[in-house]
Amino acid sequence: MSIVLGIESSCDECSASVVAYEPLAPVKVLSVSTFSQVRIHQPYGGVVPEIASRNHLETVNQMIDSALSDARLKASQLDAIAVTNRPGLVGALLVGVSAAKAMAYALGKPLVPVHHLEGHAVSVFLDQPFPVAQLPLPMLLAVVSGGHTNLYVMRTLPELWPPDFLARSLVGRSRDDAAGEAFDKTAKILGFPYPGGVWIDKTAEGGDPKAFSFPRALPQKATLDFSFSGLKTAVALAAEKLRKEGTLDSRLSDLCASIQEAIVDALLSKIFLAAREHGCRSLAIVGGVAANSRLRARLAAEWQGQQLVIPPLFPKAAYCTDNAAMIAAAGAFRFRQGQLLRETELLSLNAVANPEF
Ligand code: KG4
Ligand code: ZN
């Protein structure tokens, strides 16, 4: 068994977690300690990078201490330390990377750099009841977050992923805004606080998803890419019209339901198309937007019309948005493969703001 501490500080969540990993079993989360900066950034309508870095610096040690004590472990009992080093806000990433480097070097433990999206990708394996070894492959993996809308084809379990898994397995992506960004930007137009996805989700309850007709971009069959940028203008125009008529408040739930439907429609059509084109037998949706209730309901109703042999998999709610358990898990898989940095070589690890894929 491997015991791995993970540290995540790529955006506005400062998180540390300890997981236990045994090959071919779901990764067991022993503890997760997360400080969300959402309230701190809310007055600015989005994440302020400088404020994020400073706050990570104030909280990171506390998160690591609580993760270890909640797991009833001493740092000396860890097999490895994993940290998100790319992509993200570079100042924010550097806080986690520096903490992880200092800890690994001082304790003489290996350090495993983790790509944030690989963390999201493995989040579906955290504390899951399904028998991992029997997962029908290939699996289509949709990472749908505030920063990315990427489709990957997963042909092996993560323990066998090549170092360039993300680059090699990418089959579709958003050409402009991510799906979470589309939720957040349209929510901002309607006056909801940041991050707006969850507000649109809540306000859409009971609304008519057909009340407003918003664009579904790139409907042509040939592409597995997404485009969400046109939605903002359409929503801004509709909201302006309703404001002038004085009916915005009374139509808000119809408006939110229609925005949500446009995003979910676009996601589902490309997800199902990609799954068909690549002969996928299972499907997992991960990332913050995987928490969306309409997306989950539509998937539950529609997956059987596809060639999938098991229902779509989702991470537990706590592992959809940014957290260090997924980073520790991705680190554990890489650690077992020997992809790690030791002793003085770990000191040169850097943070990278924006790698491709
Ligand atoms: O994965 P995540 O925590 O951060 C990134 O790596 O980007 O995703 C955050 C995104 C935000 O855009 C947020 O609005 C969206 O996930 N989100 C939702 C819901 N909960 C979070 N979007 C739609 N419906 C939700 N229930
Ligand atoms: Zn994320």
Side-chain angles (χ1 to χ4, degrees):
M1 186 193 292
S2 310
I3 307 282
V4 178
L5 169 77
I7 301 173
E8 156 66 37
S9 69
S10 65
C11 190
D12 57 349
E13 256 90 37
C14 190
S15 182
S17 163
V18 181
V19 302
Y21 162 67
E22 271 191 279
L24 300 179
V27 178
K28 201 160 174 248
V29 181
L30 303 182
S31 65
V32 200
S33 196
T34 303
F35 179 79
S36 170
Q37 301 176 2
V38 161
R39 286 219 184 87
I40 295 171
H41 297 287
Q42 236 154 29
Y44 307 97
V47 179
V48 184
E50 172 79 11
I51 296 175
S53 318
R54 286 167 187 265
N55 195 270
H56 283 305
L57 204 53
E58 284 168 17
T59 46
V60 70
N61 288 341
Q62 226 174 302
M63 294 304 112
I64 295 171
D65 285 349
S66 339
L68 285 170
S69 64
D70 291 351
R72 295 176 196 285
L73 287 169
K74 293 196 189 83
S76 58
Q77 291 171 284
L78 297 170
D79 292 301
I81 295 167
V83 63
T84 310
N85 80 318
R86 64 204 194 279
L89 303 171
V90 82
L93 284 166
L94 277 170
V95 175
V97 167
S98 305
K101 281 163 74 167
M103 220 178 142
Y105 190 71
L107 293 163
K109 305 282 178 191
L111 180 66
V112 188
V114 172
H115 192 296
H116 181 78
L117 293 190
E118 200 166 298
H120 276 300
V122 303
S123 62
V124 75
F125 297 101
L126 295 168
D127 285 343
Q128 281 280 13
F130 66 82
V132 175
Q134 288 161 30
L135 185 69
L137 296 171
M139 177 165 94
L140 189 84
L141 189 63
V143 179
V144 194
S145 71
H148 296 86
T149 308
N150 288 1
L151 302 181
Y152 301 97
V153 175
M154 183 178 132
R155 299 191 182 280
T156 64
L157 289 175
E159 24 267 286
L160 296 176
W161 285 356
D164 60 348
F165 166 78
L166 291 175
R168 204 193 263 228
S169 316
L170 185 72
V171 296
R173 66 189 303 177
S174 177
R175 295 183 184 173
D176 39 58
D177 292 348
E181 219 173 342
F183 271 111
D184 296 343
K185 287 180 176 171
T186 51
K188 194 171 180 178
I189 293 170
L190 303 181
F192 290 113
Y194 175 86
V198 71
W199 291 98
I200 297 221
D201 192 344
K202 276 191 199 151
T203 314
E205 264 171 48
D208 175 5
K210 294 203 178 100
F212 297 86
S213 163
F214 291 126
R216 274 72 165 157
L218 307 178
Q220 69 272 26
K221 283 258 185 287
T223 179
L224 297 180
D225 284 351
F226 304 88
S227 168
F228 289 106
S229 65
L231 187 61
K232 290 180 302 240
T233 317
V235 171
L237 290 172
E240 186 55 32
K241 187 163 175 275
L242 295 173
R243 259 189 205 111
K244 277 193 188 136
E245 291 169 6
T247 52
L248 182 61
D249 286 349
S250 61
R251 303 294 312 276
L252 207 52
S253 101
D254 284 348
L255 194 53
C256 288
S258 303
I259 294 169
Q260 181 168 262
E261 200 69 357
I263 299 172
V264 170
D265 263 350
L267 285 172
L268 287 190
S269 69
K270 297 299 177 182
I271 285 172
F272 286 144
L273 180 62
R276 277 198 303 279
E277 278 197 3
H278 291 275
C280 293
R281 300 170 66 228
S282 55
L283 168 63
I285 322 276
V286 303
V289 178
N292 183 264
S293 62
R294 182 68 178 158
L295 180 66
R296 289 188 178 223
R298 293 249 337 243
L299 274 162
E302 294 169 37
W303 73 272
Q304 274 166 316
Q306 310 296 320
Q307 78 298 347
L308 303 168
V309 298
I310 57 166
L313 300 168
F314 295 95
K316 294 193 165 175
Y319 307 137
C320 284
T321 47
D322 288 350
N323 66 89
M326 67 187 195
I327 303 304
F333 294 128
R334 293 290 179 203
F335 168 69
R336 287 298 275 246
Q337 292 185 357
Q339 292 172 40
L340 45 86
L341 302 168
R342 277 190 197 282
E343 297 168 4
T344 49
E345 68 182 354
L346 68 82
L347 296 174
S348 56
L349 180 67
N350 211 341
V352 186
N354 196 18
E356 270 300 281
F357 59 82

